[in-house]
């Protein structure tokens, strides 16, 4: 299994509009962060997690010529506003695209993109054509089980996902105990860590490190990074098994 990090930035993206701080002005390409998304690749299938406002640019940069399904974590703008761009994949696939989301996320998607859920003759060309699936427990995607992991995101609910030895937990401020129990023995964990300072809706570096200490994955990566984080400086201060995501990072997981 392979993971491509399409985007590693917080909801504003980095650089932020109108900010000229050292990170927003950095020449290090790893400090240029589009909104958070990954692709999970296995058995010649490509599963996109979230459709960010930069989906088109991310897909071109990663040469993501095909996706077979989309899985959503939650319905915040930075995770869904690129949904319209998936119509290119409808054209390439020649069929509706399966999407998977919790009930509240599906309701929000239908409210915000009503035209994508109506069966139209031109669906798949001028409008996305979607085959919605409600997540209510572990589900199978192309022969591999995806386990939804409930996470807390301030007062909202978000889904993390465990796929074999890998888990993706973006946009969270806390993990319920029952969710921690489902994240043991991971090879790789990607976890929200917005910045060193606390934030009501996201884990700080210290909070994420505490969770990593409890869960003991072999490797962890921070994501949803803000402009408070200089890639090079921050990584220098982290233990070797904790690294930072950057746009375009690929991670190989030995087993699914
Ligand atoms: Zn977000
Ligand atoms: Zn800045
Ligand atoms: Zn969010």
């Amino acid at each position: 299994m392979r993971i491509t990090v399409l985007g590693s930035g917080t909801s504003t993206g980095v650089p932020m509009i109108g900010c000229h701080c050292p990170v927003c002005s950095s020449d290090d390409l790893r400090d240029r962060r589009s909104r958070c998304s990954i692709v999970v690749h296995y058995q010649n299938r490509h599963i996109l997690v979230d459709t960010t406002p930069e989906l088109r640019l991310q897909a071109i940069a990663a040469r993501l010529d095909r996706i077979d399904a989309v899985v959503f974590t939650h319905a915040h703008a930075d995770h869904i506003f690129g949904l319209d761009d998936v119509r290119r994949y409808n054209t390439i696939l020649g069929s509706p695209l399966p999407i998977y989301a919790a009930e509240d996320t599906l309701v929000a998607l239908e409210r915000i993109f009503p035209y994508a859920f109506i069966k139209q003759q031109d669906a798949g060309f001028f409008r996305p054509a979607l085959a919605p699936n409600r997540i209510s427990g572990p589900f199978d995607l192309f022969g591999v089980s995806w386990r939804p992991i409930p996470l807390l995101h301030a007062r909202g609910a978000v889904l993390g996902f465990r796929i074999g030895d890998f888990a993706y937990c973006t946009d969270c401020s806390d993990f319920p105990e029952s969710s921690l129990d489902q994240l043991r023995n991971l090879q790789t964990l990607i976890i929200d860590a917005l910045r060193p300072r606390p934030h009501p809706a996201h884990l700080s570096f210290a909070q994420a490190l505490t969770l990593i200490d409890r869960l003991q994955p072999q490797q962890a990566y921070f994501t949803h990074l803000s402009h408070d984080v200089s890639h090079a400086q921050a990584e220098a201060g982290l233990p070797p098994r904790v690294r930072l995501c950057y746009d375009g990072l690929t991670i190989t997981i030995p087993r699914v």
Side-chain angles (χ1 to χ4, degrees), residues 1-255:
M1 181 163 64
R2 192 165 48 87
I3 310 298
T4 303
V5 176
L6 294 181
S8 56
T10 191
S11 57
T12 54
V14 180
M16 289 203 302
I17 294 171
C19 186
H20 305 282
C21 75
V23 174
C24 288
S25 314
S26 166
D27 291 331
D28 186 340
L29 290 178
R30 298 171 304 177
D31 288 330
R32 289 179 182 257
R33 304 180 180 118
S34 59
R35 269 55 80 88
C36 266
S37 170
I38 60 167
V39 187
V40 181
H41 314 266
Y42 53 78
Q43 293 156 15
N44 251 344
R45 301 289 189 170
H46 312 280
I47 298 125
L48 176 66
V49 180
D50 292 335
T51 56
T52 79
E54 286 112 348
L55 175 56
R56 173 178 155 270
L57 297 172
Q58 293 171 332
I60 291 165
R63 301 181 74 90
L64 185 61
D65 293 347
R66 175 193 171 105
I67 57 169
D68 296 280
V70 186
V71 177
F72 286 96
T73 59
H74 66 308
H76 281 168
D78 52 324
H79 295 260
I80 65 169
F81 272 21
L83 180 63
D84 190 77
D85 284 333
V86 305
R87 61 199 165 92
R88 264 300 289 154
Y89 294 113
N90 288 134
T91 307
I92 290 166
L93 284 182
S95 66
L97 191 64
I99 67 166
Y100 292 78
E103 175 72 17
D104 59 335
T105 302
L106 281 179
V107 167
L109 289 171
E110 286 195 46
R111 189 180 72 243
I112 296 163
F113 299 95
Y115 64 93
F117 289 84
I118 305 167
K119 291 202 173 13
Q120 302 270 0
Q121 279 220 314
D122 58 9
F125 295 96
F126 302 111
R127 309 159 203 263
L130 307 175
N133 298 275
R134 184 170 59 88
I135 297 173
S136 57
F139 55 100
D140 178 281
L141 269 179
F142 312 110
V144 173
S145 178
W146 284 55
R147 181 193 291 259
I149 310 288
L151 306 173
L152 303 171
H153 186 26
R155 279 169 298 166
V158 167
L159 290 181
F161 296 97
R162 178 171 187 155
I163 310 114
D165 289 344
F166 167 72
Y168 183 62
C169 298
T170 189
D171 290 67
C172 48
S173 45
D174 204 0
F175 286 44
E177 271 315 302
S178 55
S179 294
L180 287 173
D181 289 340
Q182 301 182 64
L183 293 168
R184 313 260 176 220
N185 302 313
L186 287 169
Q187 146 69 226
T188 301
L189 169 66
I190 298 182
I191 185 170
D192 181 329
L194 180 76
R195 62 188 188 193
R197 277 180 298 135
H199 183 280
H202 295 277
L203 296 170
S204 67
F205 277 23
Q207 289 170 319
L209 286 170
T210 300
L211 285 162
I212 289 165
D213 259 359
R214 284 191 66 184
L215 296 172
Q216 293 288 325
Q218 289 176 42
Q219 185 75 53
Y221 291 89
F222 286 174
T223 197
H224 218 284
L225 300 161
S226 81
H227 76 146
D228 297 292
V229 181
S230 150
H231 188 102
Q233 282 176 21
E235 270 202 342
L238 288 169
R241 72 160 164 186
V242 181
R243 301 288 87 186
L244 300 187
C245 283
Y246 58 88
D247 291 20
L249 170 68
T250 61
I251 303 166
T252 301
I253 316 290
R255 289 189 304 131

